[in-house]
Amino acid sequence: GMLEADEAYFAQYGEPLFSSHMLDLSEEPDEENIAICVQYFKRMAPMKMWLEMEIGITGGEEDGVNNEDVDPEKLYTSPEQVWNVYEALAPIGSMFSIAAAFGNVHGVYKPGNVKLSPERLLKHQEYAKEKLGTDSPKPIFLVMHGGSGSTDEEIKTAVEAGVVKMNVDTDTQWAYWDGLRKFEAENRDYLQGQIGNPKGPDAPNKKFYDPRVWIRKAEESMIERCGNSMEKLMCKDTFPTKKPESGSVPLWNFHPKAHNPLQDIQKGVQTMIGNLTGKH
């Protein structure tokens, strides 16, 4: 449904609704996983959309899918599996990335309970480099799923092996909650009723329980955590902000098909009258 919406929007405005889609069919056999990704990518490529696919299973539990008891071998994608994906998608376009498993898990676990092997990612690059006969040391765009709770060294090794995106959903969820938690702890006496706090029985508390206040504290905490990830991923200041000259950038970056407003109104009125009278 989402891809159909992209195509309809693209036909109207010259750009898709979304810039990318993540397709997780890692629970399916590799052949089926890759074949479906090919089908989707053929439709996405003309719209210049990015496809992120997953091969190899990420452990833990997410969105009702529980892989906590999965065969440990399935938590490590082989270079051959990654190459099979690349070989199938590359002829269609270059805008795709591969989330290869290297012991990743969803969620955060006690140190020592999860064995990440990000050094395996470099083997994928070396295998593809040899197959392609290219001078590029990292010809494949890789993705790190289950990045929450990873050590700085694990992240550094993954980035150096060609990881261009890391998922840190659990850590950012906690960061959002932590901002709210701290706000509530600091202002608990002002959050027990609409009126009445340490300043007096008639003192109002609106500026404390106003959702715009405590949601902002949660957002600020998440912003800080995202900044932390940018530093660990070594992408801080990679693309400095450039302020365009006034008037140099169009208000809208698309051009909708031309319509005649008067004809649209006339057609709308005729349809409305037809619905009321039963004459179409």
Side-chain angles (χ1 to χ4, degrees), residues 177-230:
W177 158 249
D178 200 34
L180 172 55
R181 182 187 64 82
K182 290 177 179 177
F183 176 80
E184 190 279 333
E186 293 169 0
N187 300 283
R188 185 165 297 164
D189 291 340
Y190 297 84
L191 296 167
Q192 304 308 309
Q194 287 185 288
I195 298 174
N197 58 48
K199 293 183 178 180
D202 298 326
N205 295 317
K206 178 174 171 52
K207 66 179 181 179
F208 294 96
Y209 65 76
D210 185 336
R212 292 169 295 184
V213 175
W214 49 265
I215 287 178
R216 183 57 183 165
K217 293 299 180 182
E219 291 173 339
E220 289 172 351
S221 180
M222 179 182 277
I223 289 169
E224 183 179 352
R225 179 62 183 83
C226 290
N228 179 264
S229 281
M230 292 177 70

Side-chain angles (χ1 to χ4, degrees), residues 31-142:
E31 294 77 10
E32 183 178 351
N33 181 355
I34 295 172
I36 295 175
C37 285
V38 166
Q39 293 175 15
Y40 275 72
F41 196 39
K42 284 180 177 178
R43 295 168 62 185
M44 295 169 66
M47 297 184 283
K48 296 183 179 180
M49 296 179 68
W50 192 278
L51 171 66
E52 177 185 326
M53 70 84 65
E54 182 171 356
I55 190 160
I57 294 175
T58 300
E61 189 277 334
E62 182 184 50
D63 298 333
V65 178
N66 193 323
N67 289 325
E68 292 177 325
D69 298 320
V70 73
D71 180 356
E73 282 302 311
K74 293 185 178 180
L75 299 178
Y76 299 94
T77 307
S78 71
E80 290 80 7
Q81 288 177 289
V82 173
W83 171 250
N84 288 339
V85 175
Y86 183 89
E87 195 174 31
L89 297 181
I92 302 170
S94 60
M95 296 178 63
F96 67 92
S97 52
I98 304 171
F102 53 97
N104 326 55
V105 297
H106 292 299
V108 174
Y109 294 81
K110 184 178 179 180
N113 287 358
V114 174
K115 174 56 179 173
L116 280 183
S117 300
E119 65 279 0
R120 288 182 177 231
L121 298 176
L122 194 56
K123 295 184 183 299
H124 304 327
Q125 301 287 12
E126 293 169 348
Y127 188 88
K129 180 178 183 296
E130 181 181 351
K131 284 285 190 179
L132 292 168
T134 178
D135 293 329
S136 173
K138 292 177 284 190
I140 298 177
F141 295 117
L142 296 173

Side-chain angles (χ1 to χ4, degrees), residues 36 45 58 63 83 95 97 99 132 138 143 145 148 150 152-153 173-174 225 234 237 258 264-265 280:
I36 295 175
T58 300
D63 298 333
W83 171 250
M95 296 178 63
S97 52
L132 292 168
K138 292 177 284 190
V143 176
H145 283 188
S148 294
S150 300
D152 291 357
E153 187 60 31
Q173 285 178 354
W174 171 260
R225 179 62 183 83
M234 297 178 278
D237 296 327
D264 288 346
I265 293 173
H280 297 282

